[in-house]
Amino acid sequence: MNKCKCFFALFIFFAMPLLAQATQSHLNANDDDLVYFQMEAQVLHKPAPIVINGKRYLTYEIFLSNIGQHLFSLEKVEIFDGKNPNHPISSFDHEQLKKMLHSFAAKEMNNNEELIAHPGIRHVIYLSIELNQVRELPRTIMHRFYLKSQEESGRADWFTLAAAPTGINRDEPLLMGSPLKGEHWMAINGPSNTSKHRLAHVTAHGITHYPERYAIDFMQFGADGNYYKDNPNKNENYYSYDAPLYAVADGKVVEVLDGIPDNAPLGRDYPITLSNIAGNYVIIDLGNHKYAFYAHLIPNSVKVHKGDRVSKGQIIGKLGNSGNSDAPHLHFHIIDKPSPLLGEGIPYAFEHFITQDYSFSDNDEPPLIYKDNRVPHHDEIVYENTLMTFESK
């Protein structure tokens, strides 16, 4: 290994309060090195904690851009409490980062086997950090990136990019009631660092958003361990279909879309566009720039109108299969703008629910085999594919 060249990054704050741009300062490096190593790191959305199984996590993204002319491979990332930059609270090695780093490059360049940071290409690192090993929630965190040059000449210098602290949103997750009732609701595509919702981004008006950061697709399984009975091509044969949807808190309805047809299951009956991607939906203003979003409702089942005040536990519609959906389910998330997708997904927690372990049948397909354990939870959210029962305390 050749000598390590270390650079510290400063945050430059623009009009947008959560934009942080990392640049290299001149430290233990000559001018040639500074020209050679041109890497930019940005945290666009201030991280905030979620709670799963009694543990706190920070879930957020770092954009890493190679604005120079040379190739580098990302070998390691360390995260520190801003008050203690000497002992990392979390770190990810080369193998772990293969599952965490994605590129905005053309498909033929988007191969992360070696985690190559191509010149002029923006990459995103998806992070989910457990915070239980620290006594209290940090006010700031720092990031240290270890990169190795990849040159045809064989040059293999190592560089360290240390980014200055980024602030933590220390607010507790939004606490709310249940959007559904009954047993055996699976949190499909729910919180994890690799779920489809976690990786989904939307860029509009010059800003990249992660609206589905904590989104869940709720689908119900029956006593037989399956999610439908008889013919899977009929909506009414799904245990989820036509289930009442409930307001998770008191609030005001700010957006409603109705009249979009249900799809026949296992396909799409019409082209999906930005205007119908959520199907029939309801958005409820919960206050403090927090909005509950319910998608894919049955057409003409919406029981509220824009401007209505709703109470916690009030029925607002029925679970369906409209929009970008191939089987009946409820897509649910909390967002910071009154829009299905143009905003940031923000943390939330359910007041009361019960989880239950399960296994798959021998062919690794439903029906599920339910385990006997039933664990109560309070003021938490769940991991992807957790089986939940919603009931009163």
Coordinates of all heavy atoms in Angstrom, one line a residue, residues 240-307:
S240 N -56.5 -9.0 1.7 CA -56.4 -7.6 2.0 C -57.5 -6.7 1.4 O -57.8 -5.7 1.9 CB -55.1 -7.1 1.3 OG -53.9 -7.8 1.7
Y241 N -58.1 -7.2 0.3 CA -59.0 -6.4 -0.5 C -60.2 -5.9 0.3 O -60.8 -6.7 1.0 CB -59.4 -7.1 -1.8 CG -60.1 -6.2 -2.8 CD1 -59.3 -5.3 -3.5 CD2 -61.4 -6.4 -3.0 CE1 -59.9 -4.5 -4.5 CE2 -62.1 -5.6 -4.0 CZ -61.3 -4.6 -4.7 OH -61.9 -3.8 -5.6
D242 N -60.5 -4.7 0.1 CA -61.7 -4.1 0.7 C -61.6 -3.8 2.2 O -62.5 -3.4 2.9 CB -63.0 -4.9 0.5 CG -64.3 -4.1 0.6 OD1 -64.3 -3.0 0.1 OD2 -65.2 -4.7 1.2
A243 N -60.4 -4.0 2.8 CA -60.2 -3.7 4.2 C -60.3 -2.2 4.5 O -59.8 -1.4 3.7 CB -58.8 -4.2 4.6
P244 N -61.0 -1.8 5.6 CA -61.1 -0.4 5.9 C -59.7 0.2 6.2 O -58.9 -0.5 6.8 CB -62.0 -0.4 7.1 CG -62.7 -1.8 7.1 CD -61.7 -2.7 6.5
L245 N -59.5 1.4 5.8 CA -58.3 2.2 6.2 C -58.7 3.3 7.1 O -59.7 4.0 7.0 CB -57.7 2.8 4.9 CG -57.5 1.8 3.7 CD1 -56.9 2.5 2.5 CD2 -56.5 0.7 4.2
Y246 N -57.8 3.5 8.1 CA -58.1 4.4 9.3 C -57.1 5.5 9.3 O -55.9 5.4 9.0 CB -58.1 3.6 10.6 CG -59.0 2.4 10.6 CD1 -58.6 1.2 10.2 CD2 -60.3 2.6 11.1 CE1 -59.5 0.1 10.2 CE2 -61.2 1.5 11.1 CZ -60.8 0.3 10.7 OH -61.7 -0.8 10.7
A247 N -57.7 6.7 9.7 CA -56.8 7.8 10.0 C -55.9 7.5 11.1 O -56.3 7.1 12.2 CB -57.6 9.1 10.3
V248 N -54.6 7.8 11.0 CA -53.6 7.4 12.0 C -53.5 8.5 13.1 O -52.9 8.3 14.1 CB -52.2 7.2 11.4 CG1 -52.2 5.9 10.5 CG2 -51.7 8.4 10.6
A249 N -54.2 9.6 12.8 CA -54.1 10.7 13.8 C -55.2 11.7 13.4 O -55.7 11.7 12.3 CB -52.8 11.4 13.9
D250 N -55.5 12.7 14.3 CA -56.4 13.8 13.9 C -55.7 14.6 12.9 O -54.4 14.8 12.9 CB -56.7 14.7 15.1 CG -57.4 13.9 16.2 OD1 -58.0 12.8 15.9 OD2 -57.5 14.5 17.3
G251 N -56.4 15.2 11.9 CA -55.8 16.0 10.9 C -56.8 16.5 9.9 O -58.0 16.4 10.1
K252 N -56.2 17.1 8.8 CA -57.0 17.7 7.8 C -56.7 17.1 6.5 O -55.5 16.9 6.1 CB -56.8 19.2 7.7 CG -57.6 19.9 6.7 CD -57.4 21.4 6.7 CE -58.2 22.2 5.7 NZ -57.9 23.6 5.7
V253 N -57.7 16.7 5.7 CA -57.5 16.1 4.4 C -57.0 17.2 3.4 O -57.8 18.2 3.3 CB -58.7 15.4 3.9 CG1 -58.5 14.9 2.4 CG2 -59.1 14.3 4.8
V254 N -55.9 17.0 2.8 CA -55.3 18.1 1.9 C -55.3 17.7 0.5 O -55.2 18.5 -0.4 CB -53.9 18.6 2.4 CG1 -54.0 19.3 3.7 CG2 -53.0 17.4 2.5
E255 N -55.3 16.4 0.2 CA -55.4 15.9 -1.2 C -56.1 14.6 -1.3 O -56.0 13.7 -0.4 CB -54.0 15.7 -1.7 CG -53.1 17.0 -2.0 CD -53.7 17.8 -3.1 OE1 -54.4 17.3 -3.9 OE2 -53.3 19.0 -3.1
V256 N -57.0 14.5 -2.3 CA -57.7 13.2 -2.6 C -57.7 13.0 -4.1 O -57.9 14.0 -4.9 CB -59.2 13.3 -2.1 CG1 -60.0 12.2 -2.6 CG2 -59.2 13.4 -0.6
L257 N -57.5 11.8 -4.5 CA -57.7 11.4 -5.9 C -58.5 10.1 -5.9 O -58.3 9.2 -5.1 CB -56.3 11.1 -6.6 CG -56.4 10.7 -8.0 CD1 -57.0 11.9 -8.9 CD2 -55.1 10.3 -8.6
D258 N -59.6 10.1 -6.7 CA -60.5 9.0 -6.8 C -60.9 8.7 -8.2 O -60.7 9.6 -9.1 CB -61.7 9.3 -5.9 CG -62.5 8.0 -5.5 OD1 -62.1 6.9 -6.0 OD2 -63.4 8.1 -4.7
G259 N -61.4 7.6 -8.5 CA -61.9 7.3 -9.8 C -61.0 6.5 -10.7 O -61.4 6.1 -11.8
I260 N -59.8 6.2 -10.2 CA -58.9 5.4 -11.0 C -59.2 3.9 -10.9 O -59.4 3.4 -9.7 CB -57.4 5.6 -10.6 CG1 -57.0 7.1 -11.0 CG2 -56.4 4.7 -11.3 CD1 -55.7 7.5 -10.5
P261 N -59.4 3.1 -11.9 CA -59.8 1.7 -11.8 C -58.8 0.8 -11.1 O -57.6 1.1 -11.1 CB -60.0 1.3 -13.3 CG -60.0 2.5 -14.1 CD -59.2 3.5 -13.3
D262 N -59.3 -0.2 -10.5 CA -58.4 -1.3 -10.0 C -57.9 -2.0 -11.1 O -58.5 -2.2 -12.2 CB -59.2 -2.2 -9.1 CG -59.4 -1.7 -7.6 OD1 -58.5 -1.0 -7.2 OD2 -60.4 -2.1 -7.0
N263 N -56.7 -2.5 -10.9 CA -56.1 -3.5 -11.9 C -56.6 -4.9 -11.6 O -57.0 -5.2 -10.4 CB -54.6 -3.5 -11.8 CG -53.9 -2.2 -12.1 OD1 -54.0 -1.8 -13.3 ND2 -53.4 -1.6 -11.2
A264 N -56.7 -5.8 -12.6 CA -56.9 -7.2 -12.3 C -55.5 -7.7 -11.8 O -54.5 -7.3 -12.3 CB -57.2 -7.9 -13.6
P265 N -55.6 -8.5 -10.7 CA -54.3 -8.9 -10.1 C -53.3 -9.6 -11.0 O -53.7 -10.2 -12.0 CB -54.8 -9.9 -9.0 CG -56.2 -9.4 -8.7 CD -56.7 -9.0 -10.0
L266 N -52.0 -9.4 -10.6 CA -50.9 -9.9 -11.3 C -50.5 -9.2 -12.6 O -49.8 -9.7 -13.4 CB -51.0 -11.4 -11.5 CG -51.4 -12.2 -10.3 CD1 -51.4 -13.7 -10.6 CD2 -50.4 -12.0 -9.1
G267 N -51.0 -8.0 -12.8 CA -50.7 -7.2 -13.9 C -51.2 -5.7 -13.8 O -51.6 -5.3 -12.8
R268 N -51.0 -5.0 -14.9 CA -51.5 -3.6 -14.9 C -52.5 -3.5 -16.1 O -52.2 -4.0 -17.2 CB -50.3 -2.6 -15.2 CG -49.1 -2.7 -14.2 CD -49.5 -2.2 -12.8 NE -48.3 -2.1 -12.1 CZ -47.6 -3.0 -11.4 NH1 -48.0 -4.3 -11.6 NH2 -46.5 -2.8 -10.7
D269 N -53.6 -2.9 -15.9 CA -54.6 -2.8 -16.9 C -54.5 -1.5 -17.7 O -55.3 -1.3 -18.7 CB -56.0 -2.8 -16.3 CG -56.3 -4.2 -15.7 OD1 -55.5 -5.1 -16.0 OD2 -57.3 -4.3 -15.0
Y270 N -53.6 -0.6 -17.4 CA -53.4 0.7 -18.1 C -52.0 1.2 -17.9 O -51.3 0.8 -17.0 CB -54.5 1.7 -17.6 CG -54.7 1.7 -16.1 CD1 -53.8 2.4 -15.3 CD2 -55.7 1.0 -15.5 CE1 -54.0 2.4 -13.9 CE2 -55.9 1.0 -14.2 CZ -55.1 1.7 -13.4 OH -55.3 1.7 -12.0
P271 N -51.6 2.1 -18.8 CA -50.2 2.6 -18.7 C -50.1 3.4 -17.4 O -51.0 4.2 -17.0 CB -50.1 3.5 -19.9 CG -51.1 3.1 -20.8 CD -52.2 2.6 -20.0
I272 N -49.0 3.3 -16.7 CA -48.7 4.0 -15.4 C -48.0 5.3 -15.7 O -46.9 5.2 -16.4 CB -47.9 3.1 -14.4 CG1 -48.7 1.8 -14.1 CG2 -47.6 3.8 -13.2 CD1 -50.1 2.0 -13.6
T273 N -48.5 6.4 -15.2 CA -47.9 7.7 -15.4 C -47.7 8.3 -14.0 O -48.2 7.8 -13.0 CB -48.7 8.6 -16.3 OG1 -50.0 8.8 -15.6 CG2 -49.1 7.9 -17.6
L274 N -47.1 9.5 -14.0 CA -46.9 10.2 -12.7 C -48.3 10.6 -12.1 O -48.4 10.7 -10.9 CB -46.0 11.4 -12.9 CG -44.5 11.1 -12.9 CD1 -43.8 12.4 -13.2 CD2 -44.0 10.4 -11.7
S275 N -49.2 10.8 -13.0 CA -50.6 11.2 -12.5 C -51.4 10.1 -11.9 O -52.3 10.3 -11.1 CB -51.3 11.9 -13.6 OG -51.6 11.0 -14.7
N276 N -51.1 8.8 -12.3 CA -51.9 7.7 -11.7 C -51.1 6.7 -11.0 O -51.6 5.7 -10.6 CB -52.7 7.1 -12.8 CG -51.9 6.3 -13.8 OD1 -50.7 6.1 -13.6 ND2 -52.4 6.0 -15.0
I277 N -49.8 6.9 -10.8 CA -48.9 5.9 -10.2 C -49.4 5.5 -8.8 O -49.3 4.3 -8.4 CB -47.5 6.5 -10.1 CG1 -46.5 5.3 -9.8 CG2 -47.4 7.6 -9.2 CD1 -45.1 5.7 -9.9
A278 N -50.0 6.4 -8.0 CA -50.5 6.1 -6.6 C -51.9 5.5 -6.6 O -52.4 5.2 -5.6 CB -50.4 7.3 -5.7
G279 N -52.5 5.5 -7.8 CA -53.9 5.1 -7.9 C -54.8 6.1 -7.1 O -54.5 7.3 -7.1
N280 N -55.8 5.6 -6.5 CA -56.7 6.5 -5.7 C -56.0 6.7 -4.3 O -55.5 5.7 -3.7 CB -58.0 5.8 -5.5 CG -58.7 5.5 -6.8 OD1 -58.9 6.4 -7.7 ND2 -59.0 4.2 -7.1
Y281 N -55.9 7.9 -3.9 CA -55.1 8.1 -2.6 C -55.8 9.2 -1.8 O -56.6 10.0 -2.2 CB -53.7 8.5 -3.0 CG -53.4 9.8 -3.7 CD1 -53.4 11.0 -3.0 CD2 -53.2 9.8 -5.1 CE1 -53.1 12.2 -3.7 CE2 -52.9 11.0 -5.7 CZ -52.9 12.2 -5.0 OH -52.6 13.3 -5.7
V282 N -55.3 9.3 -0.5 CA -55.7 10.3 0.4 C -54.4 10.8 1.1 O -53.5 10.0 1.5 CB -56.7 9.7 1.5 CG1 -56.9 10.8 2.6 CG2 -58.0 9.3 0.8
I283 N -54.3 12.1 1.3 CA -53.2 12.7 2.1 C -53.8 13.5 3.2 O -54.7 14.4 3.0 CB -52.3 13.6 1.2 CG1 -51.7 12.8 0.0 CG2 -51.2 14.2 2.0 CD1 -50.8 13.6 -0.9
I284 N -53.4 13.2 4.4 CA -53.9 13.9 5.6 C -52.7 14.7 6.2 O -51.6 14.2 6.5 CB -54.4 12.9 6.7 CG1 -55.5 12.0 6.1 CG2 -54.9 13.6 7.9 CD1 -56.0 10.9 7.0
D285 N -53.0 16.0 6.5 CA -52.1 16.9 7.1 C -52.1 16.6 8.6 O -53.1 16.8 9.3 CB -52.4 18.3 6.8 CG -51.4 19.3 7.4 OD1 -50.5 18.9 8.1 OD2 -51.6 20.5 7.1
L286 N -51.0 16.1 9.2 CA -50.9 15.8 10.6 C -50.3 17.0 11.4 O -50.2 16.9 12.6 CB -50.1 14.5 10.8 CG -50.6 13.3 10.0 CD1 -49.6 12.1 10.3 CD2 -52.0 13.0 10.3
G287 N -50.0 18.1 10.7 CA -49.3 19.2 11.4 C -47.8 19.1 11.4 O -47.2 18.1 11.2
N288 N -47.2 20.3 11.5 CA -45.7 20.4 11.5 C -45.0 19.8 10.3 O -44.0 19.1 10.4 CB -45.2 19.7 12.8 CG -45.6 20.4 14.1 OD1 -45.7 21.6 14.1 ND2 -46.0 19.6 15.1
H289 N -45.6 20.0 9.1 CA -45.1 19.5 7.9 C -44.9 18.0 7.8 O -44.0 17.5 7.3 CB -43.7 20.2 7.6 CG -43.8 21.7 7.6 ND1 -44.4 22.4 6.7 CD2 -43.3 22.6 8.6 CE1 -44.3 23.7 7.0 NE2 -43.6 23.8 8.1
K290 N -45.9 17.3 8.4 CA -46.0 15.9 8.3 C -47.3 15.4 7.8 O -48.4 15.8 8.2 CB -45.7 15.3 9.7 CG -44.4 15.6 10.3 CD -44.2 15.1 11.7 CE -42.8 15.6 12.2 NZ -42.6 15.2 13.7
Y291 N -47.3 14.6 6.7 CA -48.4 14.2 6.0 C -48.5 12.7 5.8 O -47.5 12.0 5.5 CB -48.4 14.8 4.6 CG -48.4 16.3 4.6 CD1 -47.1 17.0 4.7 CD2 -49.5 17.1 4.6 CE1 -47.0 18.4 4.7 CE2 -49.4 18.5 4.6 CZ -48.2 19.1 4.7 OH -48.1 20.5 4.7
A292 N -49.7 12.1 6.2 CA -49.9 10.7 6.0 C -50.4 10.4 4.6 O -51.4 11.0 4.2 CB -50.9 10.2 7.1
F293 N -49.8 9.5 4.0 CA -50.2 9.2 2.6 C -50.6 7.7 2.4 O -49.9 6.8 2.8 CB -48.9 9.4 1.7 CG -49.1 9.0 0.2 CD1 -50.1 9.6 -0.6 CD2 -48.3 8.0 -0.3 CE1 -50.2 9.2 -1.9 CE2 -48.4 7.6 -1.6 CZ -49.4 8.2 -2.4
Y294 N -51.9 7.5 1.9 CA -52.5 6.2 1.7 C -52.7 6.1 0.2 O -53.3 6.9 -0.4 CB -53.8 6.1 2.4 CG -53.9 6.4 3.8 CD1 -53.7 7.7 4.4 CD2 -54.2 5.3 4.7 CE1 -53.8 7.9 5.7 CE2 -54.3 5.6 6.1 CZ -54.1 6.8 6.6 OH -54.2 7.1 7.9
A295 N -52.2 5.0 -0.4 CA -52.3 4.8 -1.9 C -52.9 3.5 -2.3 O -53.0 2.6 -1.5 CB -50.9 4.9 -2.5
H296 N -53.4 3.4 -3.5 CA -54.0 2.3 -4.2 C -55.4 1.9 -3.7 O -55.8 0.7 -3.7 CB -53.1 1.0 -4.1 CG -51.6 1.3 -4.5 ND1 -51.3 1.9 -5.7 CD2 -50.5 1.2 -3.8 CE1 -50.0 2.1 -5.7 NE2 -49.5 1.6 -4.6
L297 N -56.2 2.9 -3.3 CA -57.5 2.6 -2.7 C -58.5 2.1 -3.8 O -58.3 2.4 -5.0 CB -58.1 3.8 -2.1 CG -57.6 4.1 -0.6 CD1 -56.2 4.4 -0.6 CD2 -58.5 5.3 -0.1
I298 N -59.5 1.4 -3.4 CA -60.6 1.0 -4.4 C -61.3 2.3 -4.9 O -61.6 3.2 -4.2 CB -61.6 0.1 -3.6 CG1 -61.0 -1.2 -3.2 CG2 -62.9 -0.1 -4.5 CD1 -62.0 -2.1 -2.4
P299 N -61.5 2.3 -6.3 CA -62.2 3.5 -6.8 C -63.6 3.7 -6.2 O -64.3 2.7 -6.0 CB -62.3 3.1 -8.3 CG -62.1 1.6 -8.4 CD -61.2 1.3 -7.3
N300 N -63.9 4.9 -5.9 CA -65.2 5.3 -5.3 C -65.4 4.8 -3.9 O -66.5 4.9 -3.4 CB -66.3 4.9 -6.2 CG -66.2 5.4 -7.7 OD1 -65.9 6.6 -7.9 ND2 -66.4 4.5 -8.6
S301 N -64.3 4.4 -3.3 CA -64.4 4.0 -1.9 C -63.9 5.1 -0.9 O -64.1 5.0 0.3 CB -63.5 2.7 -1.6 OG -62.1 3.1 -1.5
V302 N -63.3 6.2 -1.4 CA -62.8 7.2 -0.6 C -64.0 7.9 0.1 O -65.0 8.4 -0.5 CB -62.0 8.2 -1.4 CG1 -61.5 9.4 -0.5 CG2 -60.8 7.5 -2.1
K303 N -63.9 8.0 1.5 CA -65.0 8.5 2.3 C -64.8 9.9 2.8 O -65.6 10.4 3.6 CB -65.3 7.6 3.4 CG -65.7 6.2 3.0 CD -66.0 5.3 4.2 CE -66.4 3.9 3.7 NZ -67.6 3.9 2.9
V304 N -63.7 10.6 2.3 CA -63.4 11.9 2.8 C -63.1 12.8 1.6 O -62.9 12.3 0.5 CB -62.1 11.9 3.7 CG1 -62.4 11.2 5.0 CG2 -60.9 11.3 3.0
H305 N -63.2 14.1 1.8 CA -63.0 15.1 0.8 C -61.9 16.1 1.2 O -61.6 16.3 2.4 CB -64.3 15.8 0.4 CG -65.4 15.0 0.0 ND1 -66.3 14.4 0.9 CD2 -65.8 14.5 -1.2 CE1 -67.1 13.6 0.3 NE2 -66.9 13.7 -1.0
K306 N -61.3 16.7 0.2 CA -60.3 17.7 0.5 C -60.9 18.8 1.4 O -62.0 19.3 1.1 CB -59.8 18.3 -0.8 CG -58.6 19.3 -0.6 CD -58.1 19.8 -2.0 CE -56.9 20.7 -1.8 NZ -56.3 21.1 -3.1
G307 N -60.2 19.1 2.5 CA -60.7 20.1 3.4 C -61.4 19.6 4.6 O -61.6 20.3 5.6

